[in-house]
Amino acid sequence: MSSDLAAIVVVLAALIVVGLVVLIRTRRVVATPTERAVHTALHTASLAARSLRGGLGAESARDALPPLRSLTAAQGVALYDADAEALAHDDDPVWTTRVLTAADAAAASALAQQRRVLVNDPSGPDSPVRALVAEPLIAGDAGAGALVVATVSRPGPGMLGAIAEVARYVSDQVELAELDASRARLDRAEVLALRAQISPHFIYNALNTIASFVRTDPDRARELIIEFADFTRYSFRAAGEYTLLSDELRNIDRYLTLERARFGPALDVKLHVAPEVLGVVLPFLALQPLVENAVRHGLAAKGGGSITITARDEGTDCVITVEDDGVGMDPELLRSGDIDALDPPASRDESAGARVGLTNVDHRLRAAFGNDYGLVVDTGIGAGTKVGMRVPKFRAGVRV
């Protein structure tokens, strides 16, 4: 009898286990209506953001209309630019000629006053639209456009609040797009500033050096002209804002070839580069100013010296240093930004140029990789200068 009972218990336990397995395998996560509504709204907002992050234009406005219409639960939606010119409206039949004329006026009024404009019965008592709601799009402190919504019933406080929130969301996306564009313009301006720093000093010296070889050593002069042409072609190229470490080092070698022709044996250059970091991506002209700074402000004052360029692999990062045994500078003055005190009056412009170059590179490194990747300067009066940078071997969105 006990054996039969044991067998029944075993069978029941097996059935329970099988039932649990079936339940687990067939279980479905059923979201509540609220959860589904939140998910749908977030997904719809992301579709609008995808269109607007490139800026507010005719094409982006047209692509953003369907998700904006869904978010506002309106009959029709239209977008206007900063001049109250219509960019796009959906193809709903509510947009008759008279309604569109009223929408244009409402958008212009909302932009001028920078506040909501509500227009009831925009085309008369028989209008297919009961109201137009125009919300200004504000990016920063300026009007960037307007969102106009057409409704077939009088909008209540809830709907007006929803439309206002959607307009704020669109404004944020447009402002982010403008910030991205401003950052790109700033990056281009900073590269142009570095090019301007290269041009007046180095080019003059390089051409003088080449001229001195024309009569005494024409073959050497020809080689230097080719190096100079390749250097300027790279430095003034119209390519993107990033480059490979190998390309930057190759251009630095051209620069140093020209400087060695000027200084002769008084300029000694040592290069220590790990082969595995040659493919690392860094901001264009990030290394060149450090080397030029070492020559112009570190070694020229004492008639020569040595420069050591090192690039080593440190796990996920590449560490690059440029070190010279030149005159150095007071670290407190460098930290305080007191450029006039770094050198005697005759060379103040040169010192300012050095600091501008370092500040420029530091800013671009931090903008590209974050605040952990700025320049580190180790210097002292009469002790030379060592400038280091840390660059990630890979960073999403940073590529040549």
Side-chain angles (χ1 to χ4, degrees), residues 318-383:
C318 168
V319 176
I320 307 168
T321 59
V322 177
E323 185 173 6
D324 68 74
D325 59 359
V327 297
M329 61 184 75
D330 186 339
E332 289 300 321
L333 295 177
L334 179 67
R335 195 161 28 242
S336 69
D338 187 0
I339 298 301
D340 288 347
L342 292 177
D343 285 294
S347 60
R348 284 176 183 174
D349 289 343
E350 293 288 315
S351 298
R355 182 170 174 81
V356 167
L358 294 179
T359 302
N360 187 310
V361 173
D362 180 71
H363 172 80
R364 293 167 64 221
L365 286 170
R366 294 176 188 274
F369 306 122
N371 285 329
D372 293 334
Y373 291 94
L375 289 182
V376 177
V377 182
D378 184 8
T379 187
I381 297 176

Side-chain angles (χ1 to χ4, degrees), residues 66-130:
L68 293 180
R69 177 172 173 168
S70 177
L71 287 172
T72 57
Q75 189 68 23
V77 176
L79 281 170
Y80 291 76
D81 64 14
D83 297 321
E85 295 292 331
L87 294 172
H89 61 80
D90 54 26
D91 56 1
D92 194 277
V94 297
W95 294 113
T96 64
T97 302
R98 293 175 64 185
V99 171
L100 282 173
T101 300
D104 294 346
S109 179
L111 272 168
Q113 302 177 57
Q114 291 201 359
R115 64 177 181 83
R116 174 193 299 150
V117 171
L118 176 62
V119 180
N120 291 317
D121 299 324
S123 60
D126 58 344
S127 172
V129 175
R130 299 302 296 165

Side-chain angles (χ1 to χ4, degrees), residues 15-292:
L15 289 173
I16 292 172
V17 171
V18 171
L20 288 173
V21 170
V22 171
L23 179 61
I24 292 171
R25 288 185 175 180
T26 59
R27 183 171 61 92
R28 296 290 183 267
V29 177
V30 180
T32 66
T34 300
E35 290 171 336
R36 284 197 297 270
V38 170
H39 179 271
T40 300
L42 290 174
H43 176 68
T44 304
S46 71
L47 294 177
R50 194 177 306 164
S51 303
L52 295 168
R53 278 304 302 274
L56 188 58
E59 184 177 353
S60 63
R62 186 169 56 251
D63 293 341
L65 287 179
L68 293 180
R69 177 172 173 168
S70 177
L71 287 172
T72 57
Q75 189 68 23
V77 176
L79 281 170
Y80 291 76
D81 64 14
D83 297 321
E85 295 292 331
L87 294 172
H89 61 80
D90 54 26
D91 56 1
D92 194 277
V94 297
W95 294 113
T96 64
T97 302
R98 293 175 64 185
V99 171
L100 282 173
T101 300
D104 294 346
S109 179
L111 272 168
Q113 302 177 57
Q114 291 201 359
R115 64 177 181 83
R116 174 193 299 150
V117 171
L118 176 62
V119 180
N120 291 317
D121 299 324
S123 60
D126 58 344
S127 172
V129 175
R130 299 302 296 165
L132 290 175
V133 183
E135 289 280 357
L137 305 177
I138 308 299
D141 296 325
L147 170 70
V148 179
V149 171
T151 65
V152 293
S153 61
R154 302 287 188 200
M159 187 173 191
L160 291 174
I163 294 171
E165 290 300 326
V166 171
R168 272 192 285 271
Y169 178 76
V170 174
S171 298
D172 290 342
Q173 299 307 313
V174 173
E175 185 169 4
L176 288 172
E178 291 182 357
L179 288 174
D180 287 343
S182 297
R183 186 178 67 178
R185 288 192 296 270
L186 178 61
D187 288 340
R188 288 193 294 271
E190 288 175 335
V191 171
L192 289 174
L194 285 177
R195 287 171 173 167
Q197 181 186 339
I198 291 169
S199 111
H201 305 282
F202 168 69
I203 292 178
Y204 175 80
N205 291 330
L207 291 176
N208 271 346
T209 302
I210 293 170
S212 70
F213 283 101
V214 169
R215 288 184 179 275
T216 60
D217 192 347
D219 290 337
R220 178 67 169 148
R222 190 178 302 110
E223 292 172 2
L224 292 175
I225 288 173
I226 293 172
E227 294 287 355
F228 179 74
D230 289 341
F231 172 83
T232 54
R233 184 181 300 113
Y234 176 85
S235 298
F236 294 94
R237 71 179 190 176
E241 58 184 299
Y242 297 103
T243 189
L244 295 176
L245 175 60
S246 59
D247 292 338
E248 194 84 347
L249 289 172
R250 190 175 297 113
N251 202 53
I252 286 169
D253 181 63
R254 299 181 189 116
Y255 167 80
L256 290 173
T257 297
L258 292 160
E259 292 290 38
R260 277 193 294 260
R262 181 162 69 103
F263 283 97
L267 178 59
D268 180 39
V269 178
K270 302 181 181 68
L271 194 66
H272 306 288
V273 179
E276 59 269 24
V277 299
L278 289 173
V280 166
V281 176
L282 68 162
F284 178 62
L285 290 183
L287 195 53
Q288 157 69 28
L290 308 188
V291 177
E292 186 178 356

